[in-house]
Amino acid sequence: MSPSVDTLTARLRARLTPYLERWDELPANARGSVWMVVSSLVFAVMATCIKLLGQDLPVVEILLFRQLFVLLFVSPAIFRGFPAVLRTTRRHLHFTRSLLAFVAMTAGFTALVHLPLAEATAISFARTLFTTMLAVAFLHEVVGWRRWSATLVGFVGVLVIVRPSPDNLNEYALLGLLSACFVAALQIALRTLARTERPITIMTYQNVTLSVLLAGPAAYFWVTPSWQQVAALAAVGCLMSVVQWTMIKAYGAGDASAIAPMEYGRIVFATIAGILVFSEVPTVYTAIGATLIIGSTLYTMRRNAAKQQSPDAAPPG
C-alpha cells in the first residue's frame, strides 16, 4: 500500500526541519539578502523569457498577457474586499500612476527585447538617479552636493553605455532610459499614494487600468500566439509574481540599506543569461557604465539610510 498524503507530508517536514531551523538562525540581513538574490535570479529568468517571446510577439501583447495573469493572481483579494477596494479620494492620482506604468513598461520591455540583457538591465537602474531629481522637484526633499555629485556620476555611467552621437544613436537605449525615468516617477507617485491608500486599492487600480490601456494596442498589433507561447506568457506572469513576493520577503526580513545592494545581482544574472541564451558578450562600455551606475546608486542609498537613521546628525546630501 502506498503511503498517504499525510505520511508523505510528515516525512517531508521531518527532513526539512533541520534546514529551516538553520535558516531561522541566520541574521535577519543575511536572510533578506538571500531572498533578494533569489528575486534577482528569477527576474533574469523572466527577462530572458520576455526577450525570447519578443522575437515573435508584439511587446504590448506580452504586457497584456502578463497583466492579465497578474490580475488573475490578485483577483481573490480584490473580490474579498469588493467594493471597498475601489473607495478612494485620489482616483486621479491612481490613473496618473497607471499611465506612467503604461509608458514605463512599454518602453522598458521594448528596450529589453532589442538590447543585450546586461545593457538593458544596467540602464534600468538609472531609476534611482531620476528618483533623486524627482524627489527634489515634487516632494521638496533636500539633497546636498554629495548626492548631486553621485547622481552626476551615475548619469555619466548611463552615457558611457548609451554613447549618444549623431552617428551612434541607439533608440532602444534611449527607450530604456525613458523607462527608468517613468519608473522613478512611479515611485514618487507610490510614495504619495501610500500615505493614504491601502496596498490592495493601489494594486487594484493599477492592474485593472493597465489591462484596459493595453487592450487596444494589443488588439491592433495582435499576433495569435501558439500554445507554447501562451504557456511561456503564463510563466512570465508567474515569475513576475515570484519576483514581487521574494522582494517583499527580502525587505521584510532585513534593513533596506543592507538588502537593496543585492538587487544588483540582476546585472550579473542577466549577463550570464545573455551569454548562454543569446550569445551576448557585454562590451567594455557596458561594464564601465554599469560600475559607475552601481557605485553612484549605492552611495545614494547609503546617504539616504544615514539621513533616515539620524536626521539631525547627518548633513544634507
Side-chain angles (χ1 to χ4, degrees), residues 129-180:
L129 311 176
F130 284 115
T131 300
T132 298
M133 300 172 62
L134 294 176
V136 172
F138 294 100
L139 300 181
H140 309 293
E141 292 186 4
V142 178
V143 175
W145 66 271
R146 292 182 181 85
R147 274 194 290 169
W148 279 125
S149 299
T151 301
L152 179 60
V153 170
F155 278 113
V156 170
V158 172
L159 292 176
V160 169
I161 296 175
V162 177
R163 304 192 306 283
S165 69
D167 301 325
N168 183 34
L169 187 62
N170 190 332
E171 63 273 20
Y172 296 117
L174 295 179
L175 277 177
L177 199 57
L178 176 68
S179 174

Side-chain angles (χ1 to χ4, degrees), residues 51 54-55 59 108-117 120 170 172 175 280:
K51 190 173 178 68
Q55 311 305 312
V59 165
F109 274 47
T110 302
L112 185 65
V113 169
H114 294 281
L115 290 176
L117 277 177
N170 190 332
Y172 296 117
L175 277 177
E280 299 169 347

